[in-house]
Amino acid sequence: MIIPYNSYKSMAKVEPTTKYKKGHIAPEYLRFELHRICLVEATVKPGARQSYAKRVLQYDEDFWGIVTQDVYDARGALWRSDMCVSAHAYEVPGVQIFMNLHFDLPSGISSVNYDYSDYDNMPISDQREDESYFLPDQIRRMGQ
């Protein structure tokens, strides 16, 4: 799949009106590559309630991060789409998400969840968690 990758220009320190246009990011700040992805389709369990009837997530096989996501409503119509813009951060080392773009298709609203144009102040964690950190009970505690 062609995905946003190694989009170093997306980290440019420019005026927001230069980088962001109505409904999209200016194309000169993005770069795309052909990558192997893992496709995950999640549907709501029968009898359960959820705002999203179905989510289709594309994970980049190189760094196991979600690069795109499509969200469907109860009628099966495409409702929302997300795109993560990444680049290799050599000092980490590893691929980092530098920008997360969200598109609500029926309303035409788009938003940027975060934009680490100020790369020097980007939060980079080298903290390692033990296995209990990733268990459901821990995630529930974090959500409270």
Side-chain angles (χ1 to χ4, degrees):
M1 180 175 178
I2 296 175
I3 62 170
Y5 206 80
N6 287 329
S7 294
Y8 293 102
K9 287 184 180 178
S10 71
M11 296 181 287
K13 294 178 186 179
V14 297
E15 289 295 316
T17 54
T18 302
K19 190 185 296 186
Y20 302 110
K21 305 303 178 187
K22 184 176 176 154
H24 64 90
I25 183 172
E28 59 268 22
Y29 293 97
L30 293 176
R31 182 177 180 279
F32 292 85
E33 290 183 10
L34 182 62
H35 271 244
R36 286 176 31 152
I37 56 110
C38 291
L39 188 70
V40 175
E41 186 174 307
T43 55
V44 178
K45 182 170 50 173
R49 293 179 45 153
Q50 175 54 261
S51 328
Y52 306 149
K54 179 172 86 170
R55 293 170 67 185
V56 178
L57 306 134
Q58 294 84 23
Y59 285 85
D60 178 27
E61 192 177 72
D62 288 345
F63 78 102
W64 291 107
I66 297 172
V67 289
T68 63
Q69 169 183 224
D70 292 322
V71 177
Y72 295 84
D73 64 15
R75 295 171 292 138
L78 183 58
W79 178 16
R80 294 180 174 157
S81 190
D82 300 332
M83 180 172 68
C84 295
V85 179
S86 64
H88 198 273
Y90 294 96
E91 67 282 0
V92 174
V95 176
Q96 294 288 113
I97 303 292
F98 291 102
M99 187 183 303
N100 198 338
L101 308 167
H102 302 279
F103 307 95
D104 185 298
L105 302 174
S107 71
I109 295 172
S110 60
S111 64
V112 179
N113 190 22
Y114 55 84
D115 176 352
Y116 288 118
S117 296
D118 189 0
Y119 181 73
D120 296 333
N121 292 319
M122 185 176 127
I124 295 175
S125 174
D126 60 358
Q127 178 180 347
R128 302 292 181 241
E129 303 291 347
D130 63 39
E131 289 182 20
S132 67
Y133 179 81
F134 299 98
L135 295 175
D137 286 341
Q138 173 63 19
I139 293 171
R140 275 192 286 276
R141 282 192 293 274
M142 290 167 50
Q144 294 177 358

